[in-house]
Amino acid sequence: MPPVQFWKPGTAAPGSSVDRASEAEGSLAATSSRAANLSIDAQRQRLPIYKHRQKLLWCVERYKVMIVVGQTGCGKSTQIPQYLHEAGWTSENMVVACTQPRRVAATSVATRVAEEVGSVLGDEVGYTIRFEDLSSPARTRIKYLTDGMLFRECMTDPLLSKYSVIMIDEAHERGAYTDLLLGLLKKIMKKRPELRVIISSATIDAQDFLEYFNSNADSADRSKDDAIIVSLEGRMFPVEVCYLKEPCQDYAEAAVQTVFDIHLREPAGDVLVFLTGREEIDQVIQTLSDRLQTLPRGSLKMLPLPLYATLPPEEQMIIFDPSPRDTRKVIFSTNIAEASVTIDGIKYVVDCGFVKMKTFNPRTCMDVLTTTPSSLASANQRAGRAGRTSAGKCFRLYPASFLPTRNRHSPMPITTPPELTRSDISLYLLQLKALGIDNLAKFDFMSPPPSEMMARALEFLFCLKAIDEEGKLTSPFGRRMAEVPLDPMMAAILLNSQELKCGEEILTIAAMTQNAFNMSSGGMKETMSDLERRKFTAEEGDHLTLLNAYNAFVRYGQKDKSWCGNHRINHKALSRAMSIRKQLKKFLDRFGIKVESCAGDAKRLRRCLVSGYFKNAARMMPDGTFKSAREGATLYVHPSSVMFTRQPSTGWVIYHEVIETTKSFMRDLTVIEEDWLVELAPHFYTFKGGNLKKH
DNA sequence: GAGCACTGC
């Protein structure tokens, strides 16, 4: 077969520059490669970022907000907090905070920095993530934490008064809590002019952050600006970017072809291929493997490997094994390799130009998971993965003319839409209300969520009785809902469990629905439908099945990994469920909510579930499909549900969520009775002429 | 009859 035709732009095309990447991993890489006989201080001074130390400190003095643009491994997240610490920003018991979007990043950066500072982790340098607080209120001066954790701290300390500087790392990812924090920080800075904020971002959106933070300043007078951009030039290895000459019909086929071309024409070095999902990856690896025997005799061998989040951890680790002799590793990955997982030694990147993204449709109240063109920012990030250890090459499986510019419209966006503009935001609005922000229309979102999403979310919070007619948080119900780390529906169910006397069981169900999808251990094929054969199945549906599985685990599996294996129970996921349950129980204790057992009365449990899930009700049709009570949309049972192979005796179910992929699939179902809907949610449903109606 | 991108409290 002829090689795929690529075009190399003569001049630097937009997108050929390589931006940042997650720095946490970069710092860890530095740990292994550093010269053993250099003192820690000497090593730190050799980092390229050290040249910018004075400039950085000066900008923090002069400006309220500093936007730092820098590349992978330049030491932003490890060095800047230390510079601030050394320069006195942590005197008088003040703390420098640095947020990370992911737990592993927070712990690994903190570990590295503690080592550099010469502190025991949890002393001068510490971290806080859910379930793990390795920090000391009296002694910790540099604190790493997940952005969600810092957001939560606002509930007890609305001005974040113990922090002198707050650094928001990886802000360009625009996660929900990052955006919420940006809005809060902007508000806090008005009341605390001495507070300093550092935003670490990618070149592509630094200007957006600048405009956001300078929007209140006098635009004619730059000397009054609050914010400034600081670029830490430190170059990475160059990455040469190539594009297809013509658009391709089938990027999976083009990816296989390109991998073969690289393998036969390019010097040694591993390949990272970005695709969109598990099924696609497995299929491409199959196609590639089938063609391996067409390789000329004596050529380098090829080792294709998959990488996606639902792959069991042991199989994920295989990608880090060094390539066998005379073998080229080719890793086929989802977006997980874009920021969360860093693989060293990648010299070639193949980018299909697409990504699977979840967007919330406020009209149908459904999440839609679709394959869409990935952004230019994401393309830059993917390309950067080829230049971590040496110069690399990136092959984009689309023509250069597809790239967006300020003037050229393209299906490919410049940046990925922020999470807050494409999610069900009821949880976030509830939490903002709990922070005393009643007028959400006036909250300064960097990217305001569409007004229909705001309206839907508020309407829903009202139906759950979290807010009143005026939009004020109800007390104590709404306030407590906001405090519990659960989605609003499950939070309401948990709080309602006192009245229905089933707290023991609801605690377990709430903990299990948080990570139910990772329950099985044998890869994706083993899901709820497999559990069914493992004796945990409850006729009443998935929630009770989860309860049975948890109870069996506590009794037999907790200390017996072979029992877990035999029963297809993921030990890690269930242990996590135990932690979540314990944490939730503490909230109920603090609220003074009595936790009782329903003592086997499943009806009470199911009624309690209806008290929160009432919005998500569906009725079975004669053809076996379901119709939603709310919109009359056609729904299907997800194959991972125990209800996939049975029919609800009453004809009615409630479900945790719908996700639209090839069809609209309901996940986590429980069989209910129609009457309960009217009885437990009279504000939402009535009977009219013998039929259930939504108000 | 047949399927989930990735995080986080």
Side-chain angles (χ1 to χ4, degrees), chain A residues 215-360:
Chain A
S215 63
N216 295 338
D218 180 356
S219 54
D221 184 0
R222 298 297 306 269
S223 71
K224 290 198 177 118
D225 277 1
D226 283 340
I228 189 170
I229 296 176
V230 176
S231 177
L232 310 172
E233 83 242 357
R235 283 208 323 274
M236 268 182 50
F237 297 98
V239 175
E240 184 188 313
V241 181
C242 313
Y243 297 86
L244 283 187
K245 283 187 170 165
E246 299 291 333
C248 66
Q249 293 295 313
D250 176 0
Y251 65 71
E253 171 59 28
V256 173
Q257 267 275 302
T258 305
V259 167
F260 270 92
D261 294 346
I262 292 170
H263 190 62
L264 294 174
R265 279 151 222 269
E266 300 282 349
D270 296 338
V271 187
L272 174 61
V273 185
F274 283 101
L275 295 171
T276 65
R278 175 187 60 84
E279 215 181 310
E280 192 175 272
I281 287 170
D282 290 344
Q283 212 175 329
V284 165
I285 288 181
Q286 189 57 53
T287 314
L288 185 104
S289 305
D290 290 347
R291 282 194 222 161
L292 278 182
Q293 62 270 37
T294 66
L295 282 176
R297 269 171 181 278
S299 62
L300 214 59
K301 291 192 201 76
M302 208 197 296
L303 177 66
L305 295 167
L307 176 64
Y308 38 81
T310 46
L311 203 65
E314 319 84 75
E315 288 178 53
Q316 273 188 30
M317 294 311 285
I318 296 176
I319 61 160
F320 295 110
D321 297 343
S323 313
R325 238 172 81 84
D326 300 326
T327 303
R328 192 197 296 269
K329 265 198 295 193
V330 183
I331 297 156
F332 293 88
S333 171
T334 60
N335 239 15
I336 191 173
E338 196 180 296
S340 309
V341 174
T342 300
I343 314 148
D344 275 325
I346 297 294
K347 216 168 163 55
Y348 307 99
V349 161
V350 179
D351 178 4
C352 77
F354 285 87
V355 67
K356 263 191 202 172
M357 199 162 45
K358 208 154 118 172
T359 43
F360 180 69

Side-chain angles (χ1 to χ4, degrees), chain A residues 494-608:
Chain A
L494 186 62
L495 297 176
N496 290 335
S497 71
Q498 179 173 33
E499 212 179 309
L500 287 144
K501 297 191 173 65
C502 54
E504 290 287 355
E505 290 80 9
I506 295 293
L507 274 171
T508 302
I509 291 171
M512 288 292 279
T513 44
Q514 297 290 294
N515 59 353
F517 209 75
N518 299 322
M519 263 193 44
S520 57
S521 64
M524 283 297 290
K525 293 266 153 59
E526 304 286 348
T527 51
M528 289 295 277
S529 48
D530 301 275
L531 277 179
E532 163 176 47
R533 276 171 258 128
R534 316 281 169 185
K535 306 250 199 289
F536 305 128
T537 305
E539 290 299 318
E540 296 91 342
D542 298 315
H543 295 104
L544 275 88
T545 302
L546 289 169
L547 175 65
N548 289 342
Y550 180 93
N551 288 337
F553 172 78
V554 172
R555 208 166 306 153
Y556 311 108
Q558 212 178 327
K559 297 197 176 90
D560 184 353
K561 292 213 169 155
S562 68
W563 182 92
C564 292
N566 294 340
H567 292 78
R568 300 283 174 206
I569 290 273
N570 181 335
H571 190 275
K572 217 174 134 193
L574 269 287
S575 303
R576 186 177 151 78
M578 285 182 76
S579 309
I580 296 175
R581 190 186 188 282
K582 216 167 115 192
Q583 193 196 28
L584 295 174
K585 171 83 162 49
K586 274 193 201 156
F587 279 94
L588 293 190
D589 291 344
R590 186 153 61 75
F591 299 152
I593 287 181
K594 221 159 107 191
V595 178
E596 291 174 89
S597 168
C598 70
D601 185 355
K603 195 169 149 184
R604 231 156 60 204
L605 262 183
R606 286 153 64 213
R607 285 168 59 90
C608 193

